[in-house]
Amino acid sequence: MLAHSFGYWLQQLLNALTIASFYVPLTVAYALVQGITSKIFLSFGDFTMYAAFAALYAGLAALLAGQEAAMTLAGALMLAMLCAAALGRVAATHVFAPLIRGSAQAFMIGSIGVSIALQEVMRIQSGNRDLWLPPVLEGAAVRIYDGPFPVQIGLVSVAAIATSIAAIAIVLAVMKHSAIGRVWNACSQSERLARLSGVDTVAVLRWTCVGSAALASISGWIISTSYGGVNFSMGLILGFKAMFASALSACEEQVDEPYLKIVGGGFMFNLRYSKATYGFVARQLRTLPEGSVLEASFDLPGRDTKYVETQPAFPGKLQYKFETDGIFGIRKNTPYKVKLRLLEAKTGKELTVVEHSFQSDIDQEGLPTKPPVLPGAGYELAPE
């Protein structure tokens, strides 16, 4: 009885790994784009659908040419990734990059428009019918356990699991150890600060879409090679599955995790108006209590008083920006402390405190004290 139970649960584990190998690349691909846009993006399902069709056509061509199973699978995967990456590049350049600084609704509607267009093209191309790939490595399986309940897994499923694990490992390595990962993290924390630091945030969006689409294509390849059937309408369903899976992975919150984190900030000198300010951006790490208030206080140069700014916490808002009015007397290499407090709106009870220090690389004394006059046609005098 124990051996039978062990075999049964081992088989269920292998089945779960096969399903996970399909969902994980799709979910991670969605999370990569959502992480730097903070907007709903529903086109990945259709990128996956196109990858599935590309893998199916490549597989049919390879089988008709008498290619070996390994070459058939490899060729199908390569064409699927190229197809999805190309779609990601085109969509990012012509649709999502122009909308990235617009509203979340405009971005989401743009992604829906891309999905509708891709589905309609594939509907016409496929003749509005399901297409099927003959089984690759039919009947080939690896026996894992012999006993009252024998356990085995198909070689195609083994290839799917191995490919998915390798792809996720590559993504993790790139995000953790490369300049690409550091730039992506900077954009995800504050797109505006990253742009002010010289990062081409539009280019980051483009290559993120390309890489994410290539990652999502693995799921399309698995659909074709493991399940065999593809159709033009499955893109929308896959897009919603990716969104829901990504959202569910972020639902669990650690109660000991702080509510907020200061992710960037510093001094800003506007020579056009001869004005200096400093500020910071705070990112929400877990859901803020309903009705709470954020209070930021800034040390001011040469003064005992502080500059204080408050903002209400809004549901769904992930980042909050605080900035002083014009200040004077900034000294080089002198730390100026900021404090961010999360307060209950009614009682004023302090829920959390985050502190940070910023310092300038230059003295404000070395900057003009009055706005310069800008000569030239079309210019007006700077305000006094």
Side-chain angles (χ1 to χ4, degrees):
M1 183 64 183
L2 183 61
H4 185 279
S5 178
F6 172 77
Y8 172 80
W9 288 111
L10 180 58
Q11 185 67 67
Q12 296 306 313
L13 174 62
L14 294 177
N15 295 341
L17 285 174
T18 302
I19 297 174
S21 69
F22 163 74
Y23 281 110
V24 170
L26 184 60
T27 302
V28 173
Y30 177 90
L32 287 173
V33 174
Q34 202 275 339
I36 62 169
T37 62
S38 298
K39 296 177 174 67
I40 295 175
F41 185 90
L42 295 176
S43 300
F44 271 117
D46 296 282
F47 295 164
T48 303
M49 179 261 291
Y50 267 69
F53 272 93
L56 182 139
Y57 291 137
L60 288 174
L63 290 175
L64 290 173
Q67 294 286 345
E68 294 182 356
M71 293 299 297
T72 299
L73 293 174
L77 176 60
M78 183 176 298
L79 186 60
M81 296 184 75
L82 288 174
C83 176
L87 285 174
R89 170 72 182 188
V90 172
T93 301
H94 299 290
V95 179
F96 303 123
L99 295 175
I100 185 60
R101 296 191 181 102
S103 66
Q105 290 85 353
F107 194 90
M108 181 181 67
I109 291 170
S111 72
I112 294 174
V114 170
S115 297
I116 293 173
L118 293 177
Q119 287 185 30
E120 186 63 15
V121 169
M122 189 54 70
R123 183 189 68 81
I124 296 172
Q125 190 278 331
S126 64
N128 197 22
R129 65 182 188 274
D130 294 352
L131 299 180
W132 294 87
L133 178 68
V136 180
L137 293 172
E138 183 177 8
V142 177
R143 181 64 64 91
I144 303 296
Y145 174 73
D146 286 313
F149 194 102
V151 178
Q152 64 181 21
I153 183 172
L155 289 180
V156 174
S157 296
V158 172
I161 294 171
T163 302
S164 182
I165 291 174
I168 299 303
I170 291 172
V171 170
L172 291 176
V174 169
M175 298 300 290
K176 188 173 182 179
H177 300 293
S178 72
I180 294 174
R182 290 190 291 272
V183 170
W184 185 92
N185 277 305
C187 292
S188 70
Q189 291 175 355
S190 174
E191 185 268 344
R192 180 169 180 254
L193 287 178
R195 191 169 69 251
L196 290 174
S197 300
V199 176
D200 187 346
T201 55
V202 175
V204 173
L205 174 65
R206 279 198 296 265
W207 61 250
T208 300
C209 286
V210 172
S212 297
L215 182 62
S217 70
I218 295 175
S219 298
W221 171 73
I222 292 173
I223 291 174
S224 292
T225 56
S226 295
Y227 301 101
V230 298
N231 66 76
F232 75 93
S233 63
M234 68 184 187
L236 182 62
I237 298 173
L238 293 175
F240 277 112
K241 284 185 176 181
M243 181 181 68
F244 291 142
S246 180
L248 286 174
S249 67
C251 284
E252 184 178 357
E253 294 184 340
Q254 300 295 329
V255 295
D256 57 346
E257 184 180 27
Y259 283 104
L260 297 156
K261 177 182 179 181
I262 295 176
V263 296
F267 290 87
M268 290 162 279
F269 295 94
N270 188 326
L271 296 180
R272 172 68 177 80
Y273 296 101
S274 219
K275 178 182 178 182
T277 62
Y278 82 108
F280 64 88
V281 173
R283 186 174 182 86
Q284 173 183 307
L285 299 180
R286 60 189 178 104
T287 305
L288 304 183
E290 184 177 356
S292 56
V293 175
L294 289 85
E295 178 191 271
S297 60
F298 299 78
D299 282 351
L300 297 176
R303 298 171 61 182
D304 293 331
T305 58
K306 296 180 181 293
Y307 180 88
V308 179
E309 180 184 356
T310 60
Q311 294 184 26
F314 290 104
K317 188 173 182 179
L318 299 180
Q319 296 186 161
Y320 295 85
K321 175 180 173 291
F322 298 88
E323 186 176 354
T324 66
D325 291 334
I327 56 176
F328 303 94
I330 299 171
R331 307 295 299 176
K332 178 181 179 180
N333 296 331
T334 300
Y336 297 97
K337 188 171 71 173
V338 299
K339 179 187 292 186
L340 177 63
R341 300 197 302 159
L342 180 65
L343 308 173
E344 285 187 353
K346 295 182 179 180
T347 65
K349 178 183 177 182
E350 187 175 273
L351 302 176
T352 190
V353 178
V354 183
E355 296 184 355
H356 197 81
S357 293
F358 297 102
Q359 59 185 30
S360 171
D361 294 332
I362 58 175
D363 283 324
Q364 192 174 5
E365 291 180 354
L367 300 175
T369 57
K370 294 183 178 180
V373 176
L374 304 178
Y379 286 92
E380 298 180 358
L381 293 178
E384 294 292 340

